[in-house]
Amino acid sequence: MKRFTQIGAAVGAVAFMAAAVTGCGTNSTSGSTNSTSGSSGSEPTLVLATSADYKPYEYHDTSSGQDKIVGFDIDVANAIAKQLHFKVKIEDMDFDGLIAALQAHRADFVIAGMTATPQRKKSVDFSDVYYQAENVVITKKGDNIKSLKDLSGDKVAAQLGSIQEDAAKTIPNVKLDSLDTIPTVVQEVLSNRADAAVIENTVATGYVKSNPQLQINKIAGMTENGSAIAFPKGSPWTKKFDTAIEKMKKDGELQQLAEKWFGGGQ
Ligand code: ARG
């Protein structure tokens, strides 16, 4: 496939996003220190780090006139918080910075549609998988992509630090177009600055709905994309979260949330 692409001046990637957090105006870099101590009577606050560019997992909802971070992951985190009796404080950052935030103990956990890859497991601990999705390729309508090889020599966009970027790297002679956020990745395809983007099907669906000039191409044998919650190595929370996730799987709460946000099931 060949299509004219322009190396645009569009440095669209906004390097940081307004930290729309839950009511707390203050910078909370040390917020995680009080998390496990749980002074008697009051619930501890855990810092949840995410990259709120990933609708419907986590995104900024401004429809009420207020900027709120909402989504499937946020509901899952809040349901776990309810079970385990802690409060949640959200920190929004680029996806590529999430693992480092855990390592520096600037966050107690990351929920960001993140896949537990062997590489990441060297740096952080993961909960059990709470949702399974798959990767697809989005292009402009009319393209006929059946395998990653069909994108050989093309310019392919993906999110920086994601497993989709890893998948794009396997395309022969690819011109990799890595960007900080998913909206900017999709924008690359919409504006013909990239020929295609590798993205998760659950996320791609929303963009294709609102941009009918786009299409989803299913690719056989593309890596599965299970989401798990990440913690600093050795965190006492990992096991507790697993127990809570297990309960939510058994009693149907997880399924209900999946239906609410993805309109389908697991
Ligand atoms: N599941 C993919 C990964 O782990 C992409 C996740 C992107 N998440 C986000 N909030 N932007 O690499």
Side-chain angles (χ1 to χ4, degrees), residues 130-148:
Y130 62 89
Y131 192 73
Q132 195 75 50
E134 65 188 54
N135 291 325
V136 294
V137 166
I138 60 165
T139 56
K140 284 288 192 59
K141 253 205 178 108
D143 285 332
N144 187 20
I145 307 298
K146 295 238 159 18
S147 81
L148 286 182

Side-chain angles (χ1 to χ4, degrees), residues 51 53-54 58 95 112-115 120 159 162-164 225:
S51 170
D53 67 334
Y54 212 48
E58 48 265 330
F95 186 75
M114 186 181 271
T115 307
R120 289 174 182 156
Q159 184 167 35
S162 69
I163 60 166
Q164 289 77 15
N225 193 0

Side-chain angles (χ1 to χ4, degrees), residues 50-55 57-58 73 93-96 98 111-117 120 126 135 159-166 180-183 200 203 224-228:
T50 193
S51 170
D53 67 334
Y54 212 48
K55 193 176 179 181
Y57 287 90
E58 48 265 330
D73 281 349
M93 56 188 78
D94 282 345
F95 186 75
D96 197 37
L98 289 171
I111 186 159
M114 186 181 271
T115 307
T117 63
R120 289 174 182 156
F126 280 99
N135 291 325
Q159 184 167 35
L160 189 69
S162 69
I163 60 166
Q164 289 77 15
E165 185 193 36
D166 292 340
D180 282 326
T181 69
I182 290 292
E200 193 183 306
V203 174
E224 285 240 314
N225 193 0
S227 295

Side-chain angles (χ1 to χ4, degrees), residues 21 44-45 80 109 125 131 154 169 227 248 251-252:
V21 285
T45 298
I80 293 172
F109 68 101
D125 288 343
Y131 192 73
D154 282 351
K169 281 181 187 160
S227 295
M248 288 170 69
D251 68 15

Side-chain angles (χ1 to χ4, degrees), residues 97-118:
L98 289 171
I99 299 270
L102 286 176
Q103 288 181 300
H105 291 271
R106 279 185 282 113
D108 296 292
F109 68 101
V110 160
I111 186 159
M114 186 181 271
T115 307
T117 63

Side-chain angles (χ1 to χ4, degrees), residues 55-56 138 141 186 190 201-216 260-264:
K55 193 176 179 181
I138 60 165
K141 253 205 178 108
V186 175
L190 279 170
N201 60 345
T202 43
V203 174
T205 310
Y207 284 101
V208 172
K209 251 191 207 143
S210 47
N211 299 284
Q213 65 272 50
L214 294 177
Q215 77 178 26
I216 290 178
K260 169 180 172 192
W261 291 101
F262 301 110

